[in-house]
Amino acid sequence: MPEDLFRHAMRRILDQAGTAPTVVLALSGGVDSMVLVHLADRFRNDIGLGSRQLVAAHLDHGLRGPESDGDREHCRTVADRLGLAFRERRVDAAAFARENSLGVEEAGRLLRYRFFRDIAGDDGLVLTGHHAGDQAETILLNLRRGAHRRGLSGMRELSRLPLPPGLAVRVGRPLLAVRRERLLEYAARENLSWREDHTNEDVTYRRNHFRHKVIPLLEHLMPGFQDSLLAQAERLSAEETALAEAGRDLAETFGRREGGGRALLLRPEVTGERERYLYALRHIVEEELGARLPYGAVLSRIAEVGERGRIGETVSLPGNLRVRRESDGLFFFFPDAVAASGDGDGEVILPDPPFDIAVHGFRVTVERRDFAGTIPDDDRADPEVEWLREDSIRWPLRVRTPAPGERFRAIGAPGSRKIHDILMDLKVPRRLRQMPRLLADHAGGVWLWPFRLANRVRLPNGPCRALRVAMRRDGTILDGSE
């Protein structure tokens, strides 16, 4: 019975969702959404919805002319009769699709969930009327696109949908186990009225083609096909959950916030197990960056670039997200965000020593010391500590980003070289070459952190006054120098 399946699913969804003061009921006017709203109202106290704000939400995609007006008024009437708050919005999905190089179906989906999230907020929940037939269509469409396990496991009962840039919405689907025939039976038994969308019969839309042509044919050729497909999806969903957790752990262990984006360091522990590697990539794209992977082949392409791509090779994803192969791994970034962040490019002039201050993500400590001819062993072994000859400094010291074309002569070098070339020879990833890594004075660079000290500040063979300088960047593995 739809009632029992709905109640059990809702208890699971709300238990997982936790705090959700606002619950949005997606109300299109079709039979599945009408059954959803009716059941939510009927059992609201039984399933834990009584203390939450219920909002029926209707989006007009601007695709069906006057017919859409009838849908909206029907939905408003139903919400009023049930005593539900009602929100509606009209959009131009076709124009949005053209402006963003999307299909109309994908554009409508994105606009729909943005609308729902506007109502639900950060901690709210959206409920949709997706049913078993929608699940079967989704799995077959994902199979056609070359999906991996997650695509073949279909929609989740509760999931977090990314809404670029940087937003997400929680979506529950309490009717996912209910066949459409059962929904129709329930609607007839309860005397529910609904609106029929004539575009749902148009088989030029791919999903409608699968609904009206492909699935009935497969069911005819293989009776019980849909039930078997859904059972297999449930098994894959359990595997998906375990792998998603493993991928998240991998991404958190070897992932870094760097250069205005996210980096994944490619160590043997990351790429050694391909499934975990793929799920780590997915976690960064979807969970950390809030973007959306359109299909599994793109995920495989990113993995391939990570394993065998040339330095600088880039994969472009929807929402203007880029993934670039660098010397130590993969860099995930939105170009505009990286350009805007600058990673603290401005010059900061340091006070007279001694001091211990935070600058551009570093902790900079400078002390005056007497140098007796030998640097302490601990400092010699620490790449984030250097000793400088004090009388060679042209005060004040400052921390800044190397200027374009700026040159630097390191200890032991026959002459000066462009800092950019030095960093390239050291295989410093591109995302990190423009970070504020230069300790300088009025005459130029004195320490190209954490690699080279300038020849003019080197210590003499005998005693002198020195500066002990420590520059530490907490919690980040940089440039393969850990």
Side-chain angles (χ1 to χ4, degrees):
M1 293 288 286
E3 298 96 320
D4 293 335
L5 292 173
F6 173 82
R7 285 201 303 264
H8 292 313
M10 278 305 306
R11 291 190 184 109
R12 289 192 298 269
I13 289 170
L14 292 175
D15 182 59
Q16 294 177 61
T19 302
T22 300
V23 176
V24 177
L25 305 172
L27 184 56
S28 67
V31 64
D32 45 3
S33 69
M34 286 297 169
V35 172
L36 170 72
V37 169
H38 189 269
L39 288 169
D41 176 67
R42 178 179 172 184
F43 298 112
R44 66 164 73 186
N45 293 321
D46 182 47
I47 59 178
L49 289 175
S51 61
R52 307 168 197 252
Q53 181 187 25
L54 293 185
V55 181
H58 176 80
L59 184 72
D60 177 357
H61 295 88
L63 299 172
R64 295 166 48 235
E67 189 178 345
S68 297
D69 296 335
D71 294 345
R72 181 183 62 252
E73 290 311 311
H74 180 71
C75 291
R76 186 193 302 277
T77 299
V78 169
D80 289 345
R81 187 172 66 245
L82 297 176
L84 299 172
F86 181 72
R87 295 279 297 277
E88 52 97 3
R89 179 182 293 176
R90 180 182 173 85
V91 296
D92 189 340
F96 184 82
R98 289 192 301 271
E99 293 166 3
N100 294 275
S101 302
L102 298 171
V104 173
E105 290 176 276
E106 176 62 17
R109 174 188 176 280
L110 184 56
L111 289 168
R112 189 162 58 250
Y113 283 108
R114 282 183 178 176
F115 169 51
F116 296 153
R117 192 200 178 279
D118 286 346
I119 303 170
D122 292 335
D123 54 358
L125 175 67
V126 177
L127 298 180
T128 70
H130 288 106
H131 52 76
D134 297 319
Q135 180 76 304
E137 294 161 16
T138 297
I139 294 167
L140 291 176
L141 285 167
N142 289 342
L143 179 63
R144 179 186 179 276
R145 295 173 181 137
H148 286 271
R149 180 182 282 102
R150 190 169 85 165
L152 299 182
S153 67
M155 294 178 282
R156 299 295 191 89
E157 200 169 69
L158 176 66
S159 61
R160 179 178 177 274
L161 296 184
L163 298 173
L167 297 177
V169 61
R170 293 188 297 177
V171 179
R173 305 174 182 88
L175 299 177
L176 204 54
V178 183
R179 298 287 289 264
R180 190 169 191 272
E181 306 91 273
R182 304 288 85 80
L183 296 179
L184 290 168
E185 291 171 3
Y186 179 88
R189 187 169 69 248
E190 298 295 328
N191 295 315
L192 304 183
S193 59
W194 63 90
R195 302 275 296 181
E196 293 289 354
D197 181 351
H198 74 274
T199 62
N200 287 336
E201 304 301 318
D202 185 354
V203 294
T204 59
Y205 290 106
R206 186 171 292 123
R207 182 173 284 275
N208 289 343
H209 180 75
F210 272 75
R211 179 180 303 159
H212 297 298
K213 300 290 186 180
V214 175
I215 292 178
L217 176 60
L218 291 171
E219 191 69 39
H220 173 72
L221 295 173
M222 297 176 285
F225 162 77
Q226 192 171 163
D227 289 338
S228 297
L229 183 68
L230 296 177
Q232 177 64 17
E234 193 171 340
R235 289 190 290 272
L236 289 174
S237 180
E239 297 177 13
E240 160 75 14
T241 298
L243 279 167
E245 291 176 356
R248 179 199 62 213
D249 292 344
L250 206 61
E252 291 176 352
T253 301
F254 293 94
R256 303 287 184 266
R257 294 173 179 264
E258 293 178 351
R262 299 289 191 278
L264 179 66
L265 306 178
L266 295 183
R267 304 288 192 259
E269 302 97 309
V270 177
T271 58
E273 293 185 27
R274 185 168 180 80
E275 288 280 20
R276 286 202 312 157
Y277 173 40
L278 290 172
Y279 278 79
L281 299 177
R282 185 185 293 281
H283 176 83
I284 292 173
V285 170
E286 295 193 339
E287 300 300 324
E288 293 190 16
L289 297 174
R292 185 166 178 263
L293 284 164
Y295 44 85
V298 174
L299 188 63
S300 295
R301 174 64 181 146
I302 297 171
E304 180 185 340
V305 168
E307 293 169 319
R308 293 181 289 278
R310 65 183 184 279
I311 304 300
E313 189 170 350
T314 301
V315 179
S316 297
L317 299 177
N320 203 30
L321 177 64
R322 310 288 175 80
V323 186
R324 185 173 66 218
R325 181 66 164 95
E326 299 202 342
S327 59
D328 62 344
L330 289 167
F331 183 50
F332 302 75
F333 65 102
F334 295 100
D336 292 344
V338 169
S341 73
D343 204 9
D345 288 342
E347 178 179 271
V348 175
I349 296 177
L350 303 176
D352 289 336
F355 61 82
D356 178 14
I357 62 173
V359 177
H360 289 327
F362 290 99
R363 195 79 201 174
V364 182
T365 305
V366 178
E367 308 166 88
R368 285 189 167 93
R369 295 283 184 90
D370 288 322
F371 175 68
T374 304
I375 296 175
D377 290 343
D378 288 347
D379 286 355
R380 290 175 63 88
D382 190 340
E384 295 183 327
V385 175
E386 285 289 0
W387 285 56
L388 290 59
R389 180 169 178 163
E390 184 176 359
D391 63 12
S392 68
I393 301 297
R394 296 186 60 185
W395 301 93
L397 287 172
R398 72 270 327 258
V399 175
R400 61 176 173 82
T401 300
E406 183 172 359
R407 303 180 75 85
F408 184 89
R409 184 184 178 189
I411 293 176
S416 67
R417 296 182 64 206
K418 289 183 178 179
I419 290 177
H420 176 271
D421 295 340
I422 295 173
L423 296 177
M424 285 192 66
D425 288 350
L426 291 167
K427 295 184 168 36
V428 175
R430 177 178 170 184
R431 69 184 181 276
L432 299 175
R433 291 177 203 155
Q434 290 303 309
M435 64 175 288
R437 62 167 70 250
L438 191 66
L439 180 70
D441 63 5
H442 188 65
V446 298
W447 184 17
L448 183 57
W449 180 93
F451 304 111
R452 299 287 187 267
L453 198 64
N455 185 70
R456 66 182 175 88
V457 298
R458 66 180 177 179
L459 297 168
N461 292 328
C464 73
R465 289 286 289 169
L467 297 176
R468 180 188 182 274
V469 182
M471 287 180 60
R472 302 196 184 280
R473 196 171 172 98
D474 293 335
T476 305
I477 296 176
L478 294 171
D479 317 333
S481 62
E482 73 269 63

